[in-house]
């Protein structure tokens, strides 16, 4: 495994030549070719737009980083054409178990796919570099995505019609005029720094050790979490299985440590052997991280837009980082598509800010609560946590309060300006502002049939629909999960969120809901 600038290399790409002239132009520029940046490029590229991606490195890094990808992220990857290789390679799991102290039986366990008969599992575990590879392969297959490796953004100057970037390469410097700039360049975002913007929020005073190791050991494909285990007394630990016989081990270390010393093999290996016994293993990746739960005040600044870790940060417990980034691009892609095509006003992009901030706030809230439960900072909070764990062993009511990291689930937008409120009385189903629940449909699956456009899902309904809306008739379990009786319908946005629903739809109400979902000025004022 090669190593460049201290970063291990998974896949060599090589530097992309600089443009022939000192001045260049692009309609959409994405900074950052991590999973969020590549997914954003792929989303827009598949919709037919010219996209330029700048990445400071000229390779895909080998570090595991994100490993847990939620069902919602898999649904998004399916829409982008990259879901199958991820699931085929990944380790599928739905069950999580929580242990406490020396007990060998879990005090609590949970199912991340409580509603069965869906295409994708609750989670897969897979190293981030594989996800990047699959997205990269899909991007490289499109002629309208210009991937520039080894192109480093040095300056960003926003203006009314976009932003001007100064870019350096090994072969020289050039200026790039972007009509739209999307910053997907991570927690140390150059774009955010150059615009003088910052995060707001909380940094937790604790450190955690990641030890990714390679070993052959037969264990269930489950998420195992320990509070106060004998191999890390008074603290916590986590274990996940990944592909290629790689395991993610996570140990709470405390606050006042020497981080460089903590990742030395002679200091990491005693933790591993205390957890697993006398096993043979190889080091894959050791690192130390500190929790942060922070976000930018706004994600949209004129025609510069932030997504993923450049916009918000959460603790790894709960797997809300990269999954939250995929939620961002899923929300932004169709909106920017409509604006670029002239089918919607630029004001629609403001609703990305509103909905993505709502998602970030829910992730930060859950991540903060998880972290407070994991790392109590007073005797009283520790006593409360331990009481919950003790009760959970024998009493079902206490188990939902056990918080080893509330895992990522889709966020709904009940107050979205793009949703048409219910006029009818509904019992169950999927309300406006919530994502459609998958179900079997014909010989396949409902979400696969939705794709990335406006769809009117109907149950035994005949009527006229506006231009740009495709009709999908359902029955059986799909209609049941949407609570659609015969004659009913729901309008679904291109990101598979419900925009409106009716027991007795008609053309006028469908048209009004469509215009509202596209950000019609009447609704956004």
């Amino acid at each position: 495994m090669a190593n460049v600038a201290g970063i291990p290399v998974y896949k060599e790409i090589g530097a992309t030549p600089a443009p022939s002239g000192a001045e260049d132009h692009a309609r959409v520029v994405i900074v950052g070719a991590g999973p969020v940046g590549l997914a954003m490029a792929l989303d827009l590229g598949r919709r037919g737009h010219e996209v330029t991606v700048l990445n400071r490195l000229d390779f895909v890094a080998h570090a595991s980083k994100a490993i847990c990808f939620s069902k919602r992220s898999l649904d998004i990857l399916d829409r982008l054409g990259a879901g199958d290789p991820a699931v085929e390679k990944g380790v599928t799991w739905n069950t999580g178990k929580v242990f406490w102290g020396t007990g060998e039986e879990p005090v609590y366990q949970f199912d991340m796919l409580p509603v069965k008969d869906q295409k994708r599992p609750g989670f897969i575990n897979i190293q981030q570099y594989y996800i990047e590879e699959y997205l990269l392969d899909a991007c490289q297959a499109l002629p309208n995505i210009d991937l520039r490796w080894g192109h480093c953004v040095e300056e960003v100057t926003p203006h009314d019609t976009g932003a001007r970037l100064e870019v350096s390469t090994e072969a020289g410097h050039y200026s790039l005029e972007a009509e739209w700039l999307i910053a997907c360049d991570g927690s140390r975002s150059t774009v955010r720094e150059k615009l003088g913007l910052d995060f707001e929020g909380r940094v937790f005073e604790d450190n955690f050790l990641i030890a990714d190791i390679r070993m052959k050991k037969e264990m269930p494909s489950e998420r195992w979490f320990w509070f106060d285990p004998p191999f890390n007394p008074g603290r916590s630990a986590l274990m996940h299985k990944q592909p290629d016989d790689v395991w993610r081990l996570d140990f709470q270390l405390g606050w006042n440590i020497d981080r460089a010393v903590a990742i030395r093999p002679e200091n990491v290996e005693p933790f591993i052997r205390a957890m697993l016994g006398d096993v043979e293993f190889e080091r894959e990746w050791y690192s130390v991280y500190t929790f942060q739960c922070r976000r930018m005040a706004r994600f949209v600044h004129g025609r510069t837009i932030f997504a993923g870790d450049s916009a918000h940060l959460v603790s790894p417990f709960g797997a809300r980082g990269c999954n939250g980034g995929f939620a961002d691009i899923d929300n932004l892609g169709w909106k920017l598509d409509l604006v670029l095509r002239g089918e919607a006003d630029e004001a629609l992009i403001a609703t990305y800010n509103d909905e993505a901030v709502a998602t970030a706030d829910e992730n930060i809230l859950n991540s903060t609560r998880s972290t407070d439960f994991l790392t109590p900072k007073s005797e009283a909070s520790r006593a409360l946590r331990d009481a919950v764990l003790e009760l959970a062993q024998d009493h079902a009511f206490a188990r939902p309060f056990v918080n080893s990291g509330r895992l990522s689930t889709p966020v709904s937008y009940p107050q979205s300006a793009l949703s048409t409120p219910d006029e009818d009385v509904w019992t169950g189903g999927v309300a406006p502002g919530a994502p459609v629940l998958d179900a079997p449909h014909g010989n396949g699956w409902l979400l696969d049939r939705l794709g990335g456009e406006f769809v009117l899902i109907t149950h035994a309904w005949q009527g006229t629909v506006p231009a740009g809306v495709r009709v999908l008739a359902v029955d059986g379990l799909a209609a049941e999960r949407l609570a659609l009786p015969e004659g009913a319908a729901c309008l679904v946005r291109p990101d598979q969120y419900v925009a409106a629903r009716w027991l007795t739809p008609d053309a006028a109400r469908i048209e009004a809901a469509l215009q509202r979902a596209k950000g019609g000025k009447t609704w956004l004022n």
Side-chain angles (χ1 to χ4, degrees):
M1 187 178 359
N3 190 290
V4 177
I7 303 173
V9 176
Y10 168 68
K11 185 174 185 177
E12 294 277 6
I13 305 290
T16 306
S20 56
E23 299 283 334
D24 198 13
H25 172 270
R27 193 159 195 206
V28 178
V29 172
I30 297 169
V31 180
V36 176
L38 290 172
M40 185 78 262
L42 186 55
D43 193 343
L44 293 173
R46 285 167 63 92
R47 296 180 189 276
H49 300 291
E50 300 283 339
V51 182
T52 298
V53 182
L54 308 179
N55 197 60
R56 68 180 183 87
L57 300 177
D58 62 359
F59 57 86
V60 175
H62 192 275
S64 292
K65 298 182 182 178
I67 64 164
C68 298
F69 292 86
S70 69
K71 181 191 177 301
R72 181 60 190 155
S73 290
L74 298 177
D75 295 340
I76 294 168
L77 289 173
D78 275 342
R79 183 175 62 77
L80 298 177
D84 285 345
V87 174
E88 288 166 7
K89 180 68 176 180
V91 173
T92 294
W93 66 276
N94 292 314
T95 300
K97 293 180 178 177
V98 179
F99 301 86
W100 182 40
T102 59
E104 295 184 2
E105 293 298 318
V107 296
Y108 172 59
Q109 70 179 56
F110 53 86
D111 185 348
M112 286 307 300
L113 194 72
V115 179
K116 306 305 179 185
D117 292 318
Q118 301 192 68
K119 178 181 179 181
R120 293 310 187 192
F123 269 86
I124 66 167
N125 287 351
I126 185 171
Q127 294 90 324
Q128 178 175 310
Y129 48 80
Y130 284 126
I131 297 294
E132 292 177 4
E133 180 179 32
Y134 305 146
L135 291 169
L136 176 58
D137 289 345
C139 285
Q140 290 175 328
L142 294 178
N144 52 328
I145 298 179
D146 178 9
L147 293 158
R148 301 182 182 182
W149 300 88
H151 286 229
C152 185
V153 174
E154 302 292 351
E155 296 293 339
V156 181
T157 305
H159 49 73
D160 290 344
T161 57
R164 182 179 179 85
L165 289 78
E166 303 301 326
V167 185
S168 65
T169 73
E170 290 182 355
H173 171 276
Y174 67 98
S175 298
L176 177 60
E177 282 286 345
E179 294 181 27
W180 291 88
L181 173 61
I182 307 174
C184 302
D185 50 344
S187 60
R188 296 182 177 88
S189 170
T190 298
V191 177
R192 190 182 63 243
E193 177 201 349
K194 296 302 180 183
L195 295 187
L197 302 170
D198 203 355
F199 286 134
E200 300 172 354
R202 180 177 171 192
V203 177
F204 290 84
E205 293 187 355
D206 216 319
N207 290 290
F208 287 76
L209 167 69
I210 286 178
D212 280 0
I213 61 170
R214 192 181 297 271
M215 67 172 181
K216 291 191 177 296
K217 189 174 180 67
E218 292 300 321
M219 295 181 67
S221 298
E222 300 172 342
R223 177 188 191 262
W224 285 13
F225 188 95
W226 289 266
F227 289 100
D228 192 21
F231 53 83
N232 196 21
R235 292 175 177 152
S236 63
L238 174 68
M239 181 168 66
H240 269 295
K241 184 179 182 181
Q242 304 176 59
D244 308 326
D245 295 319
V246 175
W247 295 76
R248 163 70 54 88
L249 312 179
D250 205 308
F251 302 92
Q252 183 183 0
L253 297 180
W255 181 237
N256 293 313
I257 66 166
D258 185 321
R259 294 162 67 96
V261 171
I263 60 173
R264 292 176 182 169
E266 64 269 23
N267 294 324
V268 174
E269 289 171 9
F271 281 100
I272 297 171
R273 298 200 181 281
M275 173 190 274
L276 300 174
D278 189 18
V279 298
E280 293 186 6
F281 65 88
E282 299 175 8
R283 171 184 175 177
E284 185 80 2
W285 175 260
Y286 297 163
S287 64
V288 172
Y289 63 89
T290 299
F291 283 171
Q292 298 185 51
C293 290
R294 304 194 292 161
R295 70 166 173 86
M296 298 175 66
R298 289 187 56 80
F299 299 170
V300 177
H301 294 262
R303 286 190 166 193
T304 299
I305 306 169
F306 292 83
D309 284 355
S310 72
H312 45 76
L313 293 172
V314 291
S315 76
F317 289 105
R320 295 173 181 273
C322 193
N323 290 307
F326 281 157
D328 289 346
I329 67 96
D330 193 43
N331 191 289
L332 176 59
W334 68 273
K335 296 175 179 178
L336 186 54
D337 170 57
L338 290 177
V339 172
L340 292 170
R341 293 182 185 279
E343 296 180 19
D345 190 271
E346 284 189 27
L348 179 60
I349 302 302
T351 69
Y352 162 73
N353 181 80
D354 298 339
E355 294 180 347
V357 164
T359 297
D361 283 346
E362 181 161 324
N363 285 334
I364 286 171
L365 175 64
N366 280 284
S367 189
T368 299
R369 287 173 173 171
S370 296
T371 306
D372 285 336
F373 194 86
L374 290 170
T375 62
K377 294 299 187 288
S378 70
E379 289 303 317
S381 58
R382 181 176 294 276
L384 177 62
R385 186 198 71 180
D386 290 352
V388 169
L389 291 168
E390 186 168 2
L391 285 167
Q393 295 180 92
D394 301 310
H395 301 284
F397 81 88
R399 289 165 192 159
F401 297 101
V402 175
N403 194 339
S404 63
R406 290 276 186 264
L407 285 149
S408 177
T409 54
V411 175
S412 297
Y413 316 122
Q415 306 303 320
S416 173
L418 303 183
S419 296
T420 298
D422 285 335
E423 297 175 356
D424 305 310
V425 177
W426 292 80
T427 55
V430 179
V436 173
L437 188 64
D438 201 12
H441 179 74
N443 294 324
W445 300 95
L446 176 60
L447 293 185
D448 283 345
R449 293 294 307 277
L450 293 181
E453 58 189 322
F454 281 100
V455 175
L456 187 73
I457 301 178
T458 65
H459 183 198
W461 176 82
Q462 298 292 328
T464 304
V465 298
V469 176
R470 178 167 54 86
V471 176
L472 178 64
V474 300
D475 55 17
L477 190 56
E480 180 182 323
R481 288 183 174 172
L482 291 164
L484 296 180
E486 291 190 6
C490 65
L491 179 65
V492 180
R493 302 178 349 179
D495 57 357
Q496 302 174 348
Y497 273 67
V498 172
R501 58 181 178 169
W502 308 271
L503 293 177
T504 55
D506 59 61
R509 287 194 288 175
I510 297 169
E511 175 67 33
L514 174 65
Q515 294 309 315
R516 180 168 184 160
K518 288 185 173 183
K521 290 183 179 179
T522 301
W523 307 110
L524 293 179
N525 289 338

